[in-house]
């Protein structure tokens, strides 16, 4: 089995990314996915490079890292030309960074059919008119072609991560799903126009299946087979709360029934149970 476990830098809460990386490394985690939640400061890149060399770390970048000078919502399908342009520029910059950090994998979130407010991320959105799904996919596909060409030039493999449709947003947007790529059908639609490999976030999928009335068991088995890069955490099926992965839970039992050979797994666990979640994940890979 050629599998690997990463941990997200967001599993610990610090203002500086180097503090988060050092804290995780001190706990014995050397595969670290650099993600959101920290502030921008002048020395961040030099510190990451130094820690990588000093501690023998392996990095990969995720979505909104590094934090931009001015916060915005990364959305490659935005109908707002300015928002879409700076989303593309962010991704291009992270591809350059990935090359510098010798981090050959970078996952970004699928787009939205609206342009969310930065203060609404992780919460219920305000009900607004949605752009047609096919238009949002076309915009995403055009942006994807541009950024993926750059990624290929730099030896970086781009992945697209499935979005999460919470119960609150499903209730708000009775007229349609405001997100692209939340389940096997909508993921297939996006992949048809992009060819993008899937970063499957199982916690996102659990919530989306609950909101859409789909079988989480069936969707998980279908999509795990299509991906070699997974995000692990758990929740109550209503919202993405980044709880730990524990033996004996519904999610753990379902994961025992799928093949996890040759997959890279990143833990996104924010409730203090990272070590237990790591051990549970290792047990899955060794079963």
């Amino acid at each position: 089995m050629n599998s690997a476990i990463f941990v997200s830098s967001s599993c610990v809460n610090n203002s500086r990314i180097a503090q988060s990386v050092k804290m995780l490394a001190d706990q014995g985690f050397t595969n670290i996915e650099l993600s959101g939640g920290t502030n921008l400061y002048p020395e961040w890149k030099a510190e990451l490079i130094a820690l990588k060399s000093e501690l023998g770390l392996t990095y990969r970048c995720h979505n909104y890292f590094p934090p931009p000078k001015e916060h915005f919502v990364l959305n490659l399908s935005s109908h707002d030309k300015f928002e879409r342009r700076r989303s593309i520029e962010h991704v291009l910059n992270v591809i350059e960074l990935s090359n510098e950090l010798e981090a050959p994998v970078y996952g970004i979130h699928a787009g939205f059919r609206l342009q969310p407010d930065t203060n609404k991320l992780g919460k219920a959105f305000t009900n607004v008119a949605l752009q047609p799904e096919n238009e949002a996919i076309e915009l995403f596909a055009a942006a994807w072609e541009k950024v993926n060409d750059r990624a290929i030039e730099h030896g970086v493999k781009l992945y697209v991560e499935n979005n999460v449709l919470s119960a609150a947003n499903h209730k708000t947007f009775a007229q349609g799903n405001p997100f692209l790529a939340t389940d096997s059908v909508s993921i297939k639609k996006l992949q048809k126009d992009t060819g993008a490999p899937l970063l499957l976030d199982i916690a996102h999928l659990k919530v989306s299946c609950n909101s859409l009335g789909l079988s989480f068991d069936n969707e998980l088995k279908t999509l795990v087979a299509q991906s070699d890069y997974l995000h692990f955490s758990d929740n109550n099926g209503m919202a993405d709360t980044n709880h730990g992965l524990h033996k004996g839970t519904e999610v753990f039992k379902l994961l025992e029934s799928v093949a996890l050979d040759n997959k890279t797994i990143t833990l996104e666990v924010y409730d203090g149970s990272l070590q237990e979640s790591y051990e549970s994940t290792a047990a899955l890979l060794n079963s």
Side-chain angles (χ1 to χ4, degrees), residues 88-103:
I88 291 171
E89 288 302 318
H90 175 85
V91 173
L92 292 174
N93 288 336
V94 181
I95 290 167
E96 302 281 348
L97 173 65
S98 296
N99 185 48
E100 290 183 71
L101 296 178
E102 300 176 301

Side-chain angles (χ1 to χ4, degrees), residues 42-246:
E43 305 85 7
W44 66 268
K45 188 191 297 184
E47 289 179 353
L48 286 179
I49 292 172
L51 286 170
K52 182 181 189 300
S53 176
E54 176 188 348
L55 303 175
L57 305 179
T58 300
Y59 293 136
R60 58 179 46 189
C61 295
H62 179 242
N63 203 50
Y64 195 59
F65 179 85
K69 293 180 181 179
E70 180 182 343
H71 286 295
F72 68 100
V73 177
L74 180 64
N75 181 14
L76 293 183
S77 62
S78 180
H79 60 278
D80 184 306
K81 291 182 179 179
F82 173 74
E83 297 293 344
R84 186 163 167 268
R85 183 169 61 250
R86 67 174 174 177
S87 293
I88 291 171
E89 288 302 318
H90 175 85
V91 173
L92 292 174
N93 288 336
V94 181
I95 290 167
E96 302 281 348
L97 173 65
S98 296
N99 185 48
E100 290 183 71
L101 296 178
E102 300 176 301
V105 171
Y106 173 32
I108 60 178
H109 287 184
F112 313 119
R113 294 172 58 195
L114 73 166
Q115 183 57 38
D117 187 294
T118 53
N119 297 320
K120 291 291 186 179
L121 284 183
K123 304 174 183 177
F125 291 164
T126 302
N127 192 358
V128 296
L130 301 177
Q131 66 188 123
E133 183 182 30
N134 64 318
E135 290 182 11
I137 290 175
E138 286 176 6
L139 288 170
F140 187 94
W144 181 267
E145 182 177 13
K146 181 174 183 177
V147 297
N148 195 48
D149 285 347
R150 180 74 61 85
I152 292 170
E153 290 173 4
H154 287 76
V156 176
K157 185 174 182 179
L158 284 187
Y159 285 77
V160 62
E161 180 178 352
N162 56 305
N163 275 319
V164 54
L165 176 62
S166 68
N169 279 323
H170 182 57
K171 181 179 179 180
T172 298
F173 292 92
Q175 76 271 35
N177 189 343
F179 305 105
L180 301 181
T182 56
D183 59 282
S184 60
V185 172
S186 57
I187 289 169
K188 186 175 181 179
K189 285 181 183 178
L190 189 64
Q191 288 183 312
K192 180 178 179 292
D193 283 13
T194 62
L198 173 65
L199 160 52
L200 178 63
D201 188 309
I202 66 164
H204 287 185
L205 184 65
K206 180 180 179 180
V207 174
S208 296
C209 286
N210 186 55
S211 297
L212 295 168
L214 301 173
S215 167
F216 178 44
D217 187 352
N218 292 341
E219 289 282 303
L220 182 67
K221 289 176 180 176
T222 296
L223 292 170
V224 164
Q226 299 173 15
S227 176
D228 62 2
Y229 180 12
L230 312 173
H231 277 181
F232 278 12
S233 64
D234 203 357
N235 53 62
N236 65 1
M238 302 296 287
D240 185 31
T241 51
N242 296 96
H243 290 166
L245 181 71
H246 307 300

Side-chain angles (χ1 to χ4, degrees), residues 232 243-247 249 251-252 255 269 276-277 280-281 284:
F232 278 12
H243 290 166
L245 181 71
H246 307 300
K247 293 181 180 179
T249 60
V251 166
F252 188 88
L255 288 170
V269 173
E276 182 184 349
S277 298
S280 297
T281 302
L284 284 169

